[in-house]
Coordinates of all heavy atoms in Angstrom, one line a residue:
M92 N -17.9 -11.7 -7.8 CA -17.7 -10.9 -9.1 C -16.2 -10.7 -9.2 O -15.5 -10.4 -8.2 CB -18.4 -9.6 -9.0 CG -18.1 -8.7 -10.1 SD -19.1 -7.2 -9.9 CE -19.6 -7.0 -11.6
Y93 N -15.6 -10.9 -10.4 CA -14.2 -10.7 -10.6 C -13.9 -9.4 -11.2 O -14.7 -8.8 -11.9 CB -13.7 -11.8 -11.6 CG -13.9 -13.2 -11.0 CD1 -15.0 -14.0 -11.2 CD2 -12.9 -13.7 -10.1 CE1 -15.1 -15.2 -10.7 CE2 -13.0 -14.9 -9.5 CZ -14.1 -15.7 -9.8 OH -14.2 -16.9 -9.3
P94 N -12.7 -8.8 -10.9 CA -12.3 -7.5 -11.4 C -12.2 -7.6 -13.0 O -11.9 -8.7 -13.5 CB -10.9 -7.2 -10.9 CG -10.7 -8.3 -9.8 CD -11.7 -9.4 -10.0
D95 N -12.5 -6.5 -13.6 CA -12.5 -6.6 -15.1 C -11.2 -6.2 -15.7 O -11.0 -6.2 -16.9 CB -13.6 -5.6 -15.7 CG -13.4 -4.2 -15.2 OD1 -12.5 -3.9 -14.4 OD2 -14.1 -3.3 -15.7
N96 N -10.2 -6.0 -14.8 CA -8.8 -5.8 -15.3 C -7.8 -6.5 -14.4 O -8.2 -7.1 -13.4 CB -8.5 -4.3 -15.5 CG -8.7 -3.6 -14.2 OD1 -8.3 -4.0 -13.2 ND2 -9.3 -2.4 -14.3
H97 N -6.6 -6.4 -14.7 CA -5.5 -7.1 -13.9 C -4.8 -6.2 -12.9 O -3.9 -6.6 -12.2 CB -4.5 -7.7 -14.9 CG -3.8 -6.6 -15.6 ND1 -2.7 -6.0 -15.1 CD2 -4.0 -6.1 -16.8 CE1 -2.2 -5.1 -16.0 NE2 -3.0 -5.1 -17.1
T98 N -5.3 -5.0 -12.6 CA -4.6 -4.1 -11.7 C -4.5 -4.7 -10.3 O -3.6 -4.4 -9.5 CB -5.3 -2.7 -11.6 OG1 -6.7 -2.9 -11.2 CG2 -5.2 -2.0 -12.9
H99 N -5.5 -5.5 -9.9 CA -5.4 -6.1 -8.5 C -4.4 -7.2 -8.4 O -4.1 -7.7 -7.3 CB -6.8 -6.6 -8.1 CG -7.8 -5.5 -8.0 ND1 -7.7 -4.5 -7.0 CD2 -8.9 -5.2 -8.7 CE1 -8.7 -3.7 -7.2 NE2 -9.4 -4.0 -8.2
E100 N -3.9 -7.7 -9.5 CA -2.9 -8.7 -9.6 C -1.5 -8.2 -9.5 O -0.5 -9.0 -9.3 CB -3.1 -9.6 -10.8 CG -4.4 -10.2 -10.9 CD -4.6 -10.9 -12.3 OE1 -3.7 -11.0 -13.0 OE2 -5.8 -11.3 -12.5
L101 N -1.3 -6.9 -9.6 CA 0.1 -6.4 -9.6 C 0.7 -6.6 -8.2 O 0.1 -6.4 -7.2 CB 0.1 -4.8 -9.8 CG -0.4 -4.4 -11.2 CD1 -0.5 -2.8 -11.2 CD2 0.6 -4.8 -12.2
R102 N 1.9 -7.2 -8.2 CA 2.6 -7.5 -7.0 C 4.0 -6.9 -7.0 O 4.7 -6.9 -8.0 CB 2.7 -9.0 -6.8 CG 1.3 -9.6 -6.6 CD 1.4 -11.1 -6.6 NE 2.0 -11.7 -5.4 CZ 1.3 -12.0 -4.3 NH1 0.1 -11.7 -4.2 NH2 2.0 -12.5 -3.3
W103 N 4.5 -6.4 -5.8 CA 5.8 -5.9 -5.7 C 6.8 -7.0 -5.7 O 6.4 -8.2 -5.5 CB 5.9 -5.1 -4.4 CG 5.1 -3.9 -4.3 CD1 4.8 -3.0 -5.4 CD2 4.4 -3.4 -3.2 NE1 4.0 -2.0 -5.0 CE2 3.7 -2.2 -3.6 CE3 4.2 -3.8 -1.9 CZ2 2.9 -1.4 -2.8 CZ3 3.4 -3.0 -1.1 CH2 2.8 -1.8 -1.5
T104 N 8.1 -6.7 -5.9 CA 9.1 -7.8 -5.9 C 9.2 -8.4 -4.5 O 9.6 -9.6 -4.5 CB 10.5 -7.2 -6.3 OG1 10.8 -6.1 -5.5 CG2 10.4 -6.7 -7.8
A105 N 8.9 -7.7 -3.5 CA 8.9 -8.2 -2.1 C 7.8 -7.6 -1.3 O 7.6 -6.4 -1.5 CB 10.3 -7.9 -1.5
P106 N 7.1 -8.3 -0.5 CA 6.1 -7.7 0.3 C 6.6 -6.8 1.3 O 7.8 -6.8 1.7 CB 5.4 -8.9 1.0 CG 6.4 -10.0 1.0 CD 7.3 -9.7 -0.2
V107 N 5.8 -5.9 1.8 CA 6.1 -4.9 2.9 C 5.5 -5.4 4.1 O 4.2 -5.5 4.2 CB 5.7 -3.5 2.5 CG1 6.1 -2.5 3.6 CG2 6.4 -3.0 1.2
A108 N 6.2 -5.6 5.2 CA 5.7 -6.0 6.5 C 5.3 -4.8 7.3 O 6.1 -3.8 7.5 CB 6.7 -6.8 7.2
I109 N 4.0 -4.8 7.8 CA 3.5 -3.7 8.7 C 2.9 -4.3 9.9 O 2.5 -5.5 9.8 CB 2.6 -2.8 7.9 CG1 1.3 -3.5 7.5 CG2 3.3 -2.0 6.8 CD1 0.2 -2.6 7.0
R110 N 2.7 -3.5 10.9 CA 2.0 -4.0 12.1 C 1.2 -2.8 12.6 O 1.7 -1.8 13.0 CB 3.0 -4.4 13.2 CG 2.3 -5.0 14.4 CD 3.3 -5.5 15.4 NE 2.5 -6.0 16.5 CZ 3.1 -6.3 17.7 NH1 4.4 -6.2 17.8 NH2 2.3 -6.7 18.7
I111 N -0.1 -3.0 12.6 CA -1.1 -1.9 13.0 C -1.6 -2.3 14.4 O -2.2 -3.4 14.5 CB -2.2 -1.7 12.0 CG1 -1.6 -1.2 10.7 CG2 -3.2 -0.7 12.5 CD1 -2.5 -1.1 9.5
G112 N -1.4 -1.5 15.4 CA -1.9 -1.8 16.7 C -1.2 -3.0 17.3 O 0.0 -3.2 17.1
R113 N -2.0 -3.8 18.0 CA -1.4 -5.0 18.7 C -1.5 -6.3 17.9 O -1.2 -7.3 18.3 CB -2.2 -5.2 20.0 CG -2.0 -4.1 21.0 CD -2.7 -4.3 22.3 NE -2.7 -3.2 23.1 CZ -1.8 -3.2 24.2 NH1 -1.0 -4.2 24.5 NH2 -1.8 -2.1 25.0
R114 N -2.0 -6.1 16.6 CA -2.0 -7.3 15.8 C -0.7 -7.8 15.4 O 0.3 -7.1 15.5 CB -2.8 -6.9 14.5 CG -4.2 -6.6 14.7 CD -4.9 -6.2 13.4 NE -6.3 -5.9 13.7 CZ -7.2 -6.1 12.7 NH1 -6.9 -6.5 11.5 NH2 -8.5 -5.9 13.0
S115 N -0.6 -9.0 14.9 CA 0.7 -9.5 14.4 C 1.0 -8.8 13.0 O 0.1 -8.2 12.4 CB 0.6 -11.0 14.2 OG -0.4 -11.4 13.4
S116 N 2.2 -9.0 12.6 CA 2.6 -8.4 11.3 C 1.8 -8.9 10.2 O 1.4 -10.1 10.2 CB 4.1 -8.7 11.1 OG 4.9 -8.0 12.0
E117 N 1.6 -8.0 9.2 CA 0.8 -8.4 8.0 C 1.7 -8.0 6.8 O 2.5 -7.1 6.9 CB -0.5 -7.6 8.0 CG -1.4 -7.9 9.1 CD -2.6 -7.1 9.1 OE1 -3.5 -7.3 8.3 OE2 -2.7 -6.1 9.9
F118 N 1.5 -8.7 5.7 CA 2.4 -8.4 4.6 C 1.5 -7.8 3.4 O 0.5 -8.4 3.1 CB 3.0 -9.7 4.1 CG 4.0 -10.2 5.1 CD1 3.6 -11.1 6.1 CD2 5.3 -9.7 5.2 CE1 4.5 -11.6 7.1 CE2 6.2 -10.2 6.1 CZ 5.8 -11.1 7.1
I119 N 2.0 -6.7 2.9 CA 1.3 -6.0 1.8 C 2.0 -6.4 0.5 O 3.2 -6.1 0.5 CB 1.2 -4.5 2.1 CG1 0.7 -4.2 3.5 CG2 0.4 -3.8 1.0 CD1 -0.6 -4.8 3.8
H120 N 1.3 -6.9 -0.5 CA 2.0 -7.5 -1.6 C 1.9 -6.6 -2.9 O 2.6 -6.9 -3.9 CB 1.4 -8.8 -2.0 CG 1.6 -9.8 -0.9 ND1 0.7 -10.0 0.1 CD2 2.6 -10.6 -0.6 CE1 1.1 -10.9 1.0 NE2 2.3 -11.3 0.6
G121 N 1.1 -5.6 -2.9 CA 1.0 -4.7 -4.1 C 0.2 -3.5 -3.9 O -0.3 -3.3 -2.8
P122 N 0.1 -2.6 -4.9 CA -0.5 -1.3 -4.7 C -2.0 -1.4 -4.4 O -2.5 -0.6 -3.6 CB -0.3 -0.6 -6.0 CG 0.1 -1.7 -7.0 CD 0.7 -2.8 -6.2
A123 N -2.8 -2.4 -5.0 CA -4.2 -2.4 -4.7 C -4.4 -2.8 -3.2 O -5.3 -2.2 -2.5 CB -4.9 -3.5 -5.5
E124 N -3.6 -3.7 -2.7 CA -3.7 -4.1 -1.2 C -3.3 -2.9 -0.4 O -3.9 -2.6 0.7 CB -2.8 -5.3 -1.0 CG -3.0 -5.9 0.4 CD -2.2 -7.2 0.5 OE1 -1.4 -7.6 -0.4 OE2 -2.3 -7.7 1.6
A125 N -2.3 -2.2 -0.8 CA -1.8 -1.0 -0.1 C -2.9 0.1 0.0 O -3.1 0.7 1.1 CB -0.5 -0.4 -0.7
I126 N -3.5 0.3 -1.1 CA -4.6 1.3 -1.1 C -5.7 1.0 -0.1 O -6.2 1.8 0.6 CB -5.2 1.5 -2.5 CG1 -4.2 2.3 -3.4 CG2 -6.5 2.2 -2.5 CD1 -4.1 3.7 -3.1
D127 N -6.0 -0.3 -0.1 CA -7.1 -0.8 0.9 C -6.7 -0.4 2.3 O -7.5 0.1 3.1 CB -7.3 -2.2 0.7 CG -8.5 -2.7 1.6 OD1 -9.5 -2.1 1.5 OD2 -8.3 -3.7 2.3
Y128 N -5.4 -0.7 2.6 CA -4.9 -0.4 4.0 C -4.9 1.1 4.2 O -5.3 1.6 5.3 CB -3.5 -1.0 4.2 CG -3.6 -2.5 4.7 CD1 -3.9 -3.5 3.8 CD2 -3.4 -2.8 6.0 CE1 -4.0 -4.8 4.2 CE2 -3.5 -4.1 6.4 CZ -3.8 -5.1 5.5 OH -3.9 -6.4 6.0
L129 N -4.4 1.8 3.3 CA -4.2 3.3 3.4 C -5.6 4.0 3.6 O -5.7 4.9 4.4 CB -3.5 3.9 2.2 CG -2.0 3.5 2.1 CD1 -1.5 3.9 0.7 CD2 -1.2 4.1 3.2
E130 N -6.6 3.4 2.9 CA -7.9 4.1 3.0 C -8.8 3.6 4.2 O -9.6 4.3 4.6 CB -8.7 3.8 1.7 CG -8.0 4.4 0.4 CD -8.2 5.9 0.4 OE1 -9.2 6.4 0.9 OE2 -7.3 6.6 -0.1
H131 N -8.6 2.4 4.6 CA -9.5 1.8 5.6 C -8.9 1.4 6.9 O -9.7 1.2 7.9 CB -10.2 0.6 4.9 CG -10.9 0.9 3.7 ND1 -12.1 1.7 3.7 CD2 -10.7 0.6 2.4 CE1 -12.5 1.9 2.4 NE2 -11.6 1.2 1.6
R132 N -7.6 1.2 7.0 CA -7.0 0.7 8.2 C -5.9 1.5 8.8 O -5.3 1.1 9.8 CB -6.5 -0.8 8.0 CG -7.7 -1.7 7.5 CD -7.4 -3.1 7.6 NE -6.8 -3.5 8.9 CZ -6.0 -4.5 9.1 NH1 -5.6 -5.2 8.0 NH2 -5.5 -4.7 10.2
W133 N -5.5 2.5 8.1 CA -4.3 3.3 8.4 C -4.5 4.0 9.7 O -5.6 4.6 9.9 CB -3.9 4.2 7.3 CG -2.5 4.4 7.1 CD1 -1.8 5.6 7.2 CD2 -1.5 3.4 6.8 NE1 -0.5 5.3 7.0 CE2 -0.3 4.0 6.7 CE3 -1.6 2.0 6.6 CZ2 0.9 3.3 6.4 CZ3 -0.4 1.3 6.3 CH2 0.8 2.0 6.2
P134 N -3.5 4.0 10.6 CA -3.7 4.7 12.0 C -3.6 6.2 11.9 O -4.0 6.8 12.9 CB -2.6 4.0 12.8 CG -1.5 3.7 11.8 CD -2.3 3.3 10.5
V135 N -3.1 6.8 10.9 CA -3.1 8.2 10.8 C -3.9 8.7 9.6 O -4.1 7.9 8.6 CB -1.6 8.8 10.6 CG1 -0.8 8.5 11.9 CG2 -1.0 8.2 9.4
L136 N -4.5 9.8 9.7 CA -5.4 10.3 8.7 C -4.8 11.3 7.7 O -5.4 11.5 6.6 CB -6.6 11.0 9.3 CG -7.5 10.1 10.2 CD1 -8.6 10.9 10.9 CD2 -8.0 8.9 9.5
D137 N -3.6 11.8 8.0 CA -3.0 12.8 7.1 C -1.5 12.7 7.2 O -1.0 12.3 8.3 CB -3.6 14.2 7.4 CG -3.2 15.2 6.4 OD1 -3.1 14.8 5.2 OD2 -3.1 16.4 6.7
G138 N -0.9 13.1 6.2 CA 0.6 13.2 6.2 C 1.1 13.2 4.8 O 0.5 12.7 3.9
P139 N 2.3 13.9 4.6 CA 2.8 14.0 3.3 C 3.2 12.6 2.6 O 2.9 12.4 1.4 CB 4.1 14.9 3.4 CG 4.4 14.8 4.9 CD 3.1 14.5 5.6
Y140 N 3.7 11.7 3.4 CA 4.0 10.4 2.9 C 2.8 9.6 2.6 O 2.7 8.8 1.6 CB 5.0 9.6 3.8 CG 6.3 10.3 3.8 CD1 6.7 11.0 5.0 CD2 7.2 10.2 2.8 CE1 8.0 11.6 5.0 CE2 8.4 10.8 2.8 CZ 8.8 11.5 3.9 OH 10.0 12.1 3.9
L141 N 1.7 9.7 3.4 CA 0.5 9.0 3.2 C -0.1 9.5 1.9 O -0.5 8.6 1.1 CB -0.5 9.3 4.4 CG -1.9 8.8 4.2 CD1 -2.0 7.3 4.1 CD2 -2.8 9.3 5.4
D142 N -0.2 10.8 1.7 CA -0.8 11.3 0.4 C 0.1 10.8 -0.8 O -0.5 10.5 -1.8 CB -0.8 12.8 0.5 CG -1.8 13.3 1.5 OD1 -2.7 12.6 1.9 OD2 -1.7 14.5 1.9
A143 N 1.4 10.9 -0.7 CA 2.2 10.4 -1.8 C 2.0 8.9 -2.1 O 2.0 8.5 -3.2 CB 3.7 10.7 -1.4
A144 N 1.9 8.1 -1.0 CA 1.7 6.7 -1.2 C 0.4 6.4 -1.9 O 0.3 5.6 -2.8 CB 1.8 6.0 0.1
R145 N -0.7 7.1 -1.5 CA -1.9 6.9 -2.2 C -1.8 7.2 -3.7 O -2.3 6.5 -4.5 CB -3.0 7.8 -1.6 CG -3.6 7.4 -0.3 CD -4.7 8.4 0.1 NE -5.2 8.1 1.4 CZ -5.4 9.1 2.4 NH1 -5.1 10.3 2.1 NH2 -5.8 8.7 3.5
H146 N -1.2 8.4 -3.9 CA -1.1 8.8 -5.3 C -0.2 7.8 -6.1 O -0.6 7.5 -7.3 CB -0.4 10.2 -5.3 CG -0.6 11.0 -6.6 ND1 -1.8 11.4 -7.0 CD2 0.4 11.3 -7.5 CE1 -1.6 12.1 -8.2 NE2 -0.3 12.0 -8.5
R147 N 0.9 7.4 -5.6 CA 1.8 6.5 -6.4 C 1.2 5.1 -6.6 O 1.4 4.5 -7.6 CB 3.1 6.4 -5.7 CG 4.0 7.6 -5.6 CD 4.4 8.1 -6.9 NE 5.1 9.4 -6.8 CZ 4.5 10.5 -7.2 NH1 3.3 10.5 -7.8 NH2 5.1 11.7 -7.1
C148 N 0.4 4.6 -5.6 CA -0.2 3.3 -5.8 C -1.3 3.4 -6.9 O -1.4 2.5 -7.7 CB -0.8 2.9 -4.5 SG 0.5 2.3 -3.3
V149 N -2.1 4.5 -6.9 CA -3.1 4.6 -7.9 C -2.4 4.7 -9.3 O -2.8 4.1 -10.3 CB -4.0 5.8 -7.7 CG1 -4.8 6.2 -8.9 CG2 -4.8 5.6 -6.4
E150 N -1.3 5.5 -9.4 CA -0.5 5.6 -10.6 C 0.0 4.3 -11.1 O -0.1 4.0 -12.3 CB 0.6 6.6 -10.4 CG 0.2 8.1 -10.4 CD 1.4 9.0 -10.2 OE1 2.5 8.6 -9.7 OE2 1.2 10.2 -10.5
A151 N 0.5 3.5 -10.2 CA 1.0 2.2 -10.5 C -0.1 1.3 -11.1 O 0.1 0.5 -12.0 CB 1.7 1.5 -9.3
M152 N -1.2 1.3 -10.4 CA -2.3 0.5 -10.9 C -2.8 0.9 -12.3 O -3.4 0.1 -13.0 CB -3.5 0.6 -9.9 CG -3.1 -0.2 -8.6 SD -4.2 0.2 -7.2 CE -5.8 0.0 -7.9
N153 N -2.6 2.2 -12.6 CA -2.9 2.7 -14.0 C -1.8 2.7 -14.9 O -1.8 3.4 -15.9 CB -3.6 4.1 -13.8 CG -5.0 4.0 -13.2 OD1 -5.8 3.3 -13.7 ND2 -5.1 4.6 -12.0
S154 N -0.7 2.1 -14.6 CA 0.5 2.0 -15.4 C 1.1 3.4 -15.7 O 1.7 3.6 -16.8 CB 0.2 1.3 -16.7 OG -0.2 0.0 -16.5
L155 N 1.0 4.3 -14.8 CA 1.5 5.7 -14.9 C 2.9 5.8 -14.2 O 3.5 6.8 -14.4 CB 0.5 6.7 -14.5 CG -0.8 6.7 -15.2 CD1 -1.8 7.7 -14.6 CD2 -0.6 7.1 -16.7
T156 N 3.2 4.9 -13.3 CA 4.5 4.9 -12.6 C 4.9 3.5 -12.4 O 4.1 2.6 -12.4 CB 4.4 5.7 -11.3 OG1 5.8 6.0 -10.9 CG2 3.7 5.0 -10.2
H157 N 6.2 3.3 -12.2 CA 6.7 1.9 -12.0 C 6.2 1.4 -10.6 O 6.1 2.1 -9.6 CB 8.2 1.9 -12.0 CG 8.8 0.6 -12.1 ND1 9.0 -0.2 -11.0 CD2 9.3 -0.1 -13.1 CE1 9.5 -1.4 -11.3 NE2 9.7 -1.3 -12.7
I158 N 5.8 0.1 -10.6 CA 5.2 -0.5 -9.4 C 6.2 -0.3 -8.2 O 5.7 -0.2 -7.0 CB 4.8 -1.9 -9.7 CG1 4.0 -2.5 -8.5 CG2 6.0 -2.8 -10.0 CD1 3.3 -3.8 -8.8
E159 N 7.5 -0.4 -8.4 CA 8.4 -0.3 -7.3 C 8.5 1.1 -6.7 O 8.8 1.3 -5.5 CB 9.8 -0.8 -7.6 CG 9.8 -2.3 -8.0 CD 9.2 -3.2 -6.8 OE1 9.6 -3.0 -5.7 OE2 8.4 -4.1 -7.1
V160 N 8.2 2.1 -7.5 CA 8.1 3.5 -7.0 C 6.9 3.6 -6.0 O 7.0 4.2 -4.9 CB 7.9 4.5 -8.1 CG1 7.5 5.9 -7.6 CG2 9.1 4.5 -9.0
A161 N 5.8 2.9 -6.3 CA 4.7 2.8 -5.4 C 5.1 2.1 -4.1 O 4.7 2.5 -3.0 CB 3.5 2.1 -6.1
R162 N 5.8 1.1 -4.2 CA 6.3 0.3 -3.0 C 7.1 1.2 -2.1 O 6.9 1.2 -0.9 CB 7.1 -0.9 -3.5 CG 7.6 -1.8 -2.3 CD 8.3 -3.0 -2.8 NE 8.8 -3.8 -1.7 CZ 9.9 -3.6 -1.0 NH1 10.7 -2.7 -1.3 NH2 10.2 -4.4 0.0
E163 N 8.0 1.9 -2.7 CA 8.9 2.8 -1.9 C 8.0 3.9 -1.2 O 8.3 4.3 0.0 CB 10.0 3.4 -2.7 CG 11.0 2.4 -3.2 CD 11.7 1.7 -2.0 OE1 12.1 2.4 -1.0 OE2 12.0 0.5 -2.1
A164 N 7.1 4.4 -1.9 CA 6.2 5.4 -1.3 C 5.4 4.8 -0.2 O 5.2 5.5 0.9 CB 5.2 6.0 -2.4
F165 N 4.9 3.6 -0.3 CA 4.2 2.9 0.7 C 5.1 2.7 2.0 O 4.7 2.9 3.1 CB 3.6 1.6 0.2 CG 2.8 0.9 1.3 CD1 1.5 1.3 1.7 CD2 3.3 -0.3 1.9 CE1 0.8 0.7 2.6 CE2 2.6 -0.9 2.9 CZ 1.3 -0.5 3.3
I166 N 6.3 2.3 1.7 CA 7.3 2.1 2.8 C 7.5 3.4 3.6 O 7.5 3.4 4.8 CB 8.6 1.6 2.3 CG1 8.5 0.1 1.9 CG2 9.7 1.7 3.3 CD1 9.6 -0.5 1.1
S167 N 7.6 4.5 2.9 CA 7.7 5.8 3.5 C 6.5 6.2 4.4 O 6.6 6.7 5.5 CB 8.0 6.9 2.5 OG 9.2 6.7 1.9
A168 N 5.3 5.9 3.8 CA 4.1 6.1 4.6 C 4.0 5.2 5.8 O 3.6 5.7 6.9 CB 2.9 5.9 3.7
A169 N 4.5 4.0 5.7 CA 4.5 3.1 6.8 C 5.4 3.6 7.9 O 5.1 3.5 9.1 CB 4.8 1.7 6.4
A170 N 6.6 4.0 7.5 CA 7.6 4.6 8.5 C 7.0 5.8 9.1 O 7.1 6.0 10.4 CB 8.9 4.9 7.8
E171 N 6.3 6.7 8.4 CA 5.7 7.9 8.9 C 4.7 7.6 10.0 O 4.6 8.2 11.0 CB 5.1 8.7 7.8 CG 4.3 9.9 8.2 CD 3.6 10.6 7.0 OE1 2.8 10.0 6.3 OE2 4.0 11.8 6.7
A172 N 3.9 6.5 9.7 CA 2.8 6.1 10.6 C 3.3 5.2 11.7 O 2.5 4.7 12.6 CB 1.7 5.4 9.8
K173 N 4.6 4.9 11.7 CA 5.2 4.0 12.7 C 4.6 2.6 12.7 O 4.4 2.0 13.8 CB 5.2 4.6 14.1 CG 6.0 5.9 14.1 CD 5.9 6.5 15.5 CE 6.7 7.8 15.7 NZ 6.7 8.8 14.7
V174 N 4.3 2.0 11.5 CA 3.8 0.7 11.4 C 4.7 -0.2 10.7 O 4.4 -1.4 10.5 CB 2.4 0.7 10.8 CG1 1.4 1.5 11.7 CG2 2.4 1.2 9.4
L175 N 5.8 0.3 10.2 CA 6.8 -0.5 9.4 C 7.5 -1.5 10.3 O 8.0 -1.1 11.4 CB 7.8 0.4 8.7 CG 8.7 -0.3 7.7 CD1 7.9 -0.9 6.5 CD2 9.7 0.8 7.2
T176 N 7.5 -2.8 10.0 CA 8.2 -3.7 10.8 C 9.5 -4.2 10.2 O 9.8 -4.0 9.0 CB 7.4 -5.0 11.2 OG1 7.0 -5.6 10.0 CG2 6.1 -4.6 11.9

């Protein structure tokens, strides 16, 4: 089944590299992918940057904030969780 809108196609100008656990680095390309990581794979469950990143990514997917604002929020959450590479 295909998404009924284009929000999953939104991509940042540059991917964000993260590394969770002992896995190799992974690249996050946009807010939909970031939300998936934040909700299902993130190593911390709470934090001010985590909450802000979730909020900004959803806003970007709904055209309520600039996509690069969501990227910066995700980078802050990754730094907070110590997964930014």
Side-chain angles (χ1 to χ4, degrees):
M92 178 178 220
Y93 294 97
D95 59 352
N96 59 41
H97 64 84
T98 58
H99 296 291
E100 298 172 12
L101 294 174
R102 293 174 73 88
W103 294 323
T104 55
V107 177
I109 63 170
R110 183 175 178 194
I111 298 175
R113 296 179 185 259
R114 296 178 174 208
S115 57
S116 292
E117 300 175 75
F118 296 92
I119 311 305
H120 299 93
E124 191 176 2
I126 285 290
D127 184 51
Y128 274 76
L129 293 168
E130 294 290 327
H131 303 291
R132 300 196 49 212
W133 216 240
V135 295
L136 300 176
D137 193 27
Y140 292 107
L141 171 62
D142 293 338
R145 284 184 186 135
H146 196 69
R147 296 293 173 252
C148 287
V149 169
E150 287 180 340
M152 290 168 46
N153 289 301
S154 301
L155 299 173
T156 194
H157 194 277
I158 191 169
E159 295 303 315
V160 171
R162 181 179 182 275
E163 291 301 318
F165 182 73
I166 288 170
S167 294
E171 175 183 62
K173 298 179 176 44
V174 298
L175 188 63
T176 61

